[in-house]
Amino acid sequence: MNAPSPSGDEHPQGSPVRLGALVPLTRPGWVEAGRHLLAGLDLAVREVNGTGGIGGRPLELVVRDTAADPERAAAAVGELADLDVAAVVGEYHSVVARAAAARADALGVPYLCSSAVLDDLTGEPTEWVARLPPAQSHGWRVYADFLLRTGRSRIAVATQPSVYWESGTRILRERLLPHGGSVVELDASALTPEALCDALAGHGATALLLLVGQPEPAVPIVRAVRRDRRLADVLIGAPAGQPEFAAWTAALGGDGAGIPFLRYLPDDLGPLGARVGGDLAERLGEEPSFVAFEGWDTVAVLAEVLRSHGTDRAAVAGAWPRVAVDGTRGRIRFSRVPGISVWQWAWAPVRVVDRDPVRPERFRTLHTG
């Protein structure tokens, strides 16, 4: 199923400049993240059109639902290329974004990745792909530093088979081991939550990190750990950001608080971020996640590129190293980062936060990268 294209405006005239948008809108995709990402993309497109569009032409989002399926995303990139989009944007799931990036690179379609962090987004260096969120190696090292700073170096990870989770485990291990830390893997696909608690108690870990999907099996694991008296002093963590969204609190209540995760927002938003945040909150009916801000920033970057360099695909891709745009979370520029194969914003703000146990709707900053 393809999602409707939600954006457009009455003001600009002429044929539209199309942007293809990849968003997880149905299960097994993380639908809540997809809704926030699309809200940010759509709000920014409407603002661009409200100020004259791209050289008087309206900007139009052509949305495709990836449903967290890499093959579906790759096929969508091909379809969008045939629809003459100037560029492709979006996606939340790293493995899906990797498939989309490979297809975009092969077809010569500019792709600005909005929210996926896997370092190895393309197998080889490419001129066609740029990325806004921090690479996983950067963000997860910040998280490992937080664990070390709080004296928790004996770490267990509840994990599932995935390139993304395997990469995260490797990053954590490489950061912790030189400091005397350890990382033991517990297979959440093979162990029940109760059996996982038994294994966790046996290892004597001081922290359990949830490298698993949401809501299953993350929510049952949290409930089981919270109710196991042997694990009262074990910190539960979720570096991938599962507690960011309201559904986490709705499912877990107070059990979902006090679980540190990575959040790509500054402590205090500037005037632009505050204004956009207010508009997003009104649109979503809840506090916007960092994913919604990533969506807005994505379109802000592309709008500037299209206005300054035109809509030719090669010109768009060639503009990545010359971009300088005020986003909601800072000044956005792209560069070549060692070990990263795409043009990278180095870096968006990175914080470790959790939900306040007293007021779960409020976030507390625990560590800044």
Side-chain angles (χ1 to χ4, degrees), residues 203-332:
H203 284 294
T206 54
L208 171 67
L209 306 187
L210 303 172
L211 309 192
V212 294
Q214 151 71 15
E216 299 287 340
V219 167
I221 290 173
V222 171
R223 288 180 179 143
V225 173
R226 293 296 199 210
R227 284 154 180 71
D228 193 319
R229 293 183 179 179
R230 297 172 297 174
L231 307 176
D233 295 328
V234 173
L235 173 75
I236 304 175
Q242 295 94 324
E244 168 75 8
F245 299 95
W248 178 264
T249 300
L252 284 164
D255 283 348
I259 297 179
F261 65 95
L262 286 167
R263 198 177 204 216
Y264 305 134
L265 286 173
D267 272 320
D268 295 301
L269 292 166
L272 174 61
R275 193 269 297 169
V276 171
D279 291 344
L280 286 168
E282 182 176 352
R283 175 175 289 248
L284 289 164
E286 61 189 25
E287 182 177 357
S289 68
F290 66 83
V291 180
F293 288 95
E294 288 173 330
W296 194 96
D297 286 343
T298 299
V299 172
V301 168
L302 260 300
E304 176 61 27
V305 168
L306 294 168
R307 285 167 173 160
S308 300
H309 299 276
T311 60
D312 175 77
R313 290 174 179 171
V316 172
W320 299 136
R322 296 190 288 276
V323 168
V325 176
D326 287 327
T328 58
R329 299 162 298 145
R331 187 77 165 165
I332 298 171

Side-chain angles (χ1 to χ4, degrees), residues 157-168:
V157 295
T159 189
Q160 294 176 297
S162 162
V163 171
Y164 176 62
W165 300 128
E166 291 166 7
S167 173

Side-chain angles (χ1 to χ4, degrees), residues 17-293:
V17 177
R18 290 177 168 176
L19 291 182
L22 305 176
V23 187
L25 296 175
T26 54
R27 297 290 184 190
W30 198 334
V31 175
E32 193 173 13
R35 186 171 73 91
H36 279 235
L37 178 57
L38 184 57
L41 293 168
D42 185 55
L43 174 64
V45 166
R46 293 182 181 274
E47 292 183 4
V48 168
N49 287 337
T51 56
I54 307 298
R57 298 168 61 189
L59 193 58
E60 178 186 349
L61 275 186
V62 184
V63 180
R64 293 295 180 264
D65 173 21
T66 66
D69 184 335
E71 292 184 5
R72 184 166 173 170
V77 172
E79 178 189 352
L80 291 165
D82 291 340
L83 293 175
D84 200 31
V85 297
V88 174
V89 301
E91 196 43 46
Y92 176 78
H93 300 282
S94 282
V95 176
V96 179
R98 187 172 63 166
R103 186 64 172 150
D105 181 48
L107 294 175
V109 178
Y111 172 41
L112 179 52
C113 178
S114 299
S115 196
V117 300
L118 192 67
D119 281 39
D120 189 21
L121 201 57
T122 56
E124 299 292 335
T126 176
E127 300 297 320
W128 293 98
V129 182
R131 174 167 55 192
L132 283 175
Q136 187 181 21
S137 59
H138 177 72
W140 286 48
R141 285 171 190 154
V142 171
Y143 196 93
D145 290 344
F146 157 73
L147 293 172
L148 290 170
R149 187 177 63 82
T150 56
R152 298 178 186 273
S153 59
R154 189 172 177 83
I155 309 301
V157 295
T159 189
Q160 294 176 297
S162 162
V163 171
Y164 176 62
W165 300 128
E166 291 166 7
S167 173
T169 301
R170 185 187 70 251
I171 293 164
L172 291 167
R173 183 174 281 120
E174 289 174 352
R175 195 69 163 183
L176 292 169
L177 260 59
H179 299 277
S182 63
V183 177
V184 62
E185 298 180 47
L186 305 177
D187 187 350
S189 298
L191 297 171
T192 66
E194 292 72 25
L196 192 147
C197 287
D198 291 339
L200 185 60
H203 284 294
T206 54
L208 171 67
L209 306 187
L210 303 172
L211 309 192
V212 294
Q214 151 71 15
E216 299 287 340
V219 167
I221 290 173
V222 171
R223 288 180 179 143
V225 173
R226 293 296 199 210
R227 284 154 180 71
D228 193 319
R229 293 183 179 179
R230 297 172 297 174
L231 307 176
D233 295 328
V234 173
L235 173 75
I236 304 175
Q242 295 94 324
E244 168 75 8
F245 299 95
W248 178 264
T249 300
L252 284 164
D255 283 348
I259 297 179
F261 65 95
L262 286 167
R263 198 177 204 216
Y264 305 134
L265 286 173
D267 272 320
D268 295 301
L269 292 166
L272 174 61
R275 193 269 297 169
V276 171
D279 291 344
L280 286 168
E282 182 176 352
R283 175 175 289 248
L284 289 164
E286 61 189 25
E287 182 177 357
S289 68
F290 66 83
V291 180
F293 288 95

